Amino acid sequence: MNTSLKLDRIAEQMDVVLTQIFRQYVSLGSPTKLGGLRFLDVECSKTFAFEKTRVADDGVGTLLVLSAPYDGKAEDIRHLLEAGPHGKDIQHLEVRASSDAGKSDKLFIEVGYYTPTSEWLTDENIIAYANEHKSVNSHDALIGILETKLIPIASELMSFLIDQIRINTKNKEAERN
């Protein structure tokens, strides 16, 4: 049996969980003045973000959404992302202009990875987690499960994006020189 989950509320809680790894990236770079879960990677001087988590179209999972700068073709980035970690889970990919004033010529990718949130948060899994960790309530267990499942995926994906942008930035600089 599974209690009906309000995935929009779970998505909001996932954003809160993401602040834990956001701190790790900010410590290596700096937060942007726009706030949110955006940070500047000092090594490549590019802005990355954990965007708002969304409910997936199937109503059962959520989309973990990340954004990164991009200056190539949409087909190229799709191929690169699909070959990367969790590439089979991509359900949203958009190339968009920057929303910053005066920077509409800068492009960003926004990529959404499907996470099987309802599968992670079954009643049985929540009860088992609460019993194993001596959690006093189901909310603490829910947060613990999200931290256990979401943080490694989000960290792996953001690290991959940063590495790819750093490589691309170095290659572009070498071409200019």
Side-chain angles (χ1 to χ4, degrees):
M1 182 184 125
N2 197 30
T3 305
S4 178
L5 294 172
K6 294 185 183 211
L7 284 177
D8 55 334
R9 299 286 309 271
I10 299 294
E12 291 171 2
Q13 191 60 58
M14 291 171 80
D15 292 339
V16 172
V17 168
L18 288 172
T19 63
Q20 293 177 35
I21 59 173
F22 172 69
R23 282 181 252 167
Q24 162 194 330
Y25 290 105
V26 169
S27 70
L28 301 173
S30 65
T32 67
K33 61 185 175 214
L34 297 176
L37 297 181
R38 289 175 166 45
F39 62 93
L40 177 70
D41 178 63
V42 174
E43 185 175 322
C44 66
S45 298
K46 304 287 184 186
T47 301
F48 296 83
F50 292 101
E51 302 291 347
K52 288 194 180 288
T53 304
R54 305 190 267 247
V55 177
D57 290 340
D58 67 0
V60 178
T62 53
L63 292 183
L64 170 62
V65 183
L66 296 87
S67 66
Y70 184 67
D71 61 359
K73 297 177 187 162
E75 311 84 59
D76 295 340
I77 193 64
R78 178 171 285 284
H79 177 71
L80 179 72
L81 292 171
E82 287 176 348
H86 306 279
K88 67 185 182 338
D89 298 324
I90 295 172
Q91 287 197 353
H92 168 78
L93 179 61
E94 178 183 349
V95 178
R96 61 173 170 76
S98 173
S99 56
D100 293 355
K103 294 186 179 181
S104 61
D105 59 329
K106 305 280 186 202
L107 295 178
F108 283 82
I109 58 163
E110 187 175 282
V111 58
Y113 293 87
Y114 183 84
T115 57
T117 312
S118 292
E119 183 181 307
W120 294 346
L121 300 174
T122 63
D123 289 347
E124 294 80 10
N125 289 344
I126 290 172
I127 291 167
Y129 188 95
N131 288 336
E132 180 181 338
H133 294 89
K134 308 294 185 251
S135 295
V136 292
N137 61 47
S138 60
H139 181 263
D140 291 344
L142 181 140
I143 300 302
I145 291 169
L146 289 177
E147 289 172 346
T148 302
K149 299 287 189 177
L150 182 64
I151 288 175
I153 294 169
S155 184
E156 180 181 25
L157 291 171
M158 186 57 78
S159 293
F160 174 75
L161 282 175
I162 291 170
D163 288 345
Q164 294 306 311
I165 298 304
R166 286 176 177 171
I167 290 166
N168 187 43
T169 301
K170 286 178 185 172
N171 290 343
K172 296 261 184 212
E173 288 172 2
E175 289 173 10
R176 282 183 282 222
N177 296 329

